Amino acid sequence: MITEIRHAFDAIGADLIVETAGKVFEIDVRRDAGREAFRLRYPWSDVITAEALDVKPKHRHLVLDVSGWRLPISGRYLCGHDEQHWFVANLPISHRTTTVRGAMEALKPDVVLREQKRLGVKHRRHRRKTAAYVRQGEWFFLPRPMMHVGDHAVRNGQLVREGGKPHRVEWLYRPEGSDETYVRGAVSHPDHETIRLQVWHRVVQNNEVQPAPVNESFTRMAYLD
């Protein structure tokens, strides 16, 4: 099984490190001497089955399914390359997709899917800019060209997920009494190409499942960014 997994990662052009240590299954991307590699760390206490369900060498993506024999280890991950770096995303359990195309769609929040449908945007999973949204990393930006906020915007704001580097934004606005966020202007991040939003855009994060603390789960992910 390990040999098959190595062949799958080789097919998308990625290095793979396999280790056995600790009490949890861990999947992450490691950087050593300027080179990135996926790392799978298997626990001593269980036999883990990992299977590549779909491999797309041209697009440098694959879907990995992981399950344990005794411990309640279960997960499905999209592993791939985005702009400059390799990444791993934990797919929502409610979307048990087996394909790369399905995984990319599963990571889109409902509001993004509705905008795609409303504007007739076809499933272009490898495009970061469509009529419905602009994407930078895990953040989707949905255009709101008729929106005006007056003097309520904050200059030099940031978008941050737990464990990640901030995406810095030129202008940020959070309406009072609302959990929605809007941005405009330059949006930058050290691992992504800067995007420039000429009008206000609503911001939503993708559907990636956040990693649980190690003492609460038998599966752990670590972020590179």
Side-chain angles (χ1 to χ4, degrees):
M1 187 64 70
I2 295 297
T3 299
E4 295 175 2
I5 293 299
R6 288 193 182 279
H7 287 164
F9 279 91
D10 284 344
I12 65 172
D15 293 333
L16 177 66
I17 301 169
V18 178
E19 302 174 349
T20 301
K23 298 180 179 180
V24 300
F25 171 80
E26 185 173 358
I27 177 170
D28 60 9
V29 179
R30 291 300 171 104
R31 183 185 290 120
D32 183 30
R35 188 175 181 85
E36 295 177 355
F38 286 94
R39 186 189 68 162
L40 303 183
R41 175 175 283 182
Y42 293 83
W44 291 108
S45 54
D46 198 4
V47 177
I48 305 299
T49 300
E51 180 183 4
L53 302 180
D54 189 26
V55 181
K56 298 297 184 187
K58 179 180 178 181
H59 300 300
R60 307 178 78 183
H61 284 63
L62 64 81
V63 172
L64 186 71
D65 184 76
V66 177
S67 61
W69 285 17
R70 292 185 296 275
L71 298 179
I73 294 173
S74 179
R76 194 159 293 179
Y77 306 90
L78 177 65
C79 303
H81 196 274
D82 185 29
E83 294 191 63
Q84 303 177 43
H85 300 283
W86 294 104
F87 73 90
V88 54
N90 194 355
L91 298 172
I93 194 170
S94 59
H95 296 73
R96 301 299 288 177
T97 180
T98 61
T99 67
V100 169
R101 177 185 290 273
M104 297 296 285
E105 291 301 299
L107 288 172
K108 294 176 180 177
D110 288 342
V111 64
V112 174
L113 297 176
R114 289 196 298 269
E115 285 293 280
Q116 283 187 167
K117 183 177 181 180
R118 184 177 70 86
L119 295 172
V121 174
K122 296 182 180 179
H123 296 172
R124 306 284 181 85
R125 61 189 180 280
H126 297 288
R127 289 184 59 184
R128 289 184 288 274
K129 183 177 181 180
T130 71
Y133 63 83
V134 179
R135 182 180 66 81
Q136 185 185 73
E138 69 272 26
W139 301 101
F140 288 88
F141 304 90
L142 287 67
R144 298 293 184 262
M146 304 304 293
M147 184 174 182
H148 299 279
V149 304
D151 299 326
H152 300 291
V154 176
R155 192 174 181 88
N156 298 325
Q158 60 182 23
L159 305 169
V160 188
R161 72 169 175 187
E162 184 177 354
K165 301 173 187 175
H167 292 242
R168 304 193 180 279
V169 301
E170 189 172 356
W171 292 99
L172 183 143
Y173 171 60
R174 291 191 173 101
E176 186 175 352
S178 172
D179 59 358
E180 295 182 356
T181 298
Y182 299 85
V183 300
R184 194 190 70 184
V187 184
S188 60
H189 185 277
D191 296 333
H192 301 284
E193 181 180 351
T194 297
I195 60 176
R196 302 185 184 280
L197 307 175
Q198 300 301 318
V199 300
W200 286 103
H201 284 62
R202 182 182 172 186
V203 184
V204 290
Q205 191 175 357
N206 70 14
N207 284 336
E208 181 178 356
V209 178
Q210 300 300 305
V214 65
N215 60 348
E216 297 180 9
S217 174
F218 292 101
T219 305
R220 181 172 63 185
M221 292 174 56
Y223 294 127
L224 181 64
D225 66 354

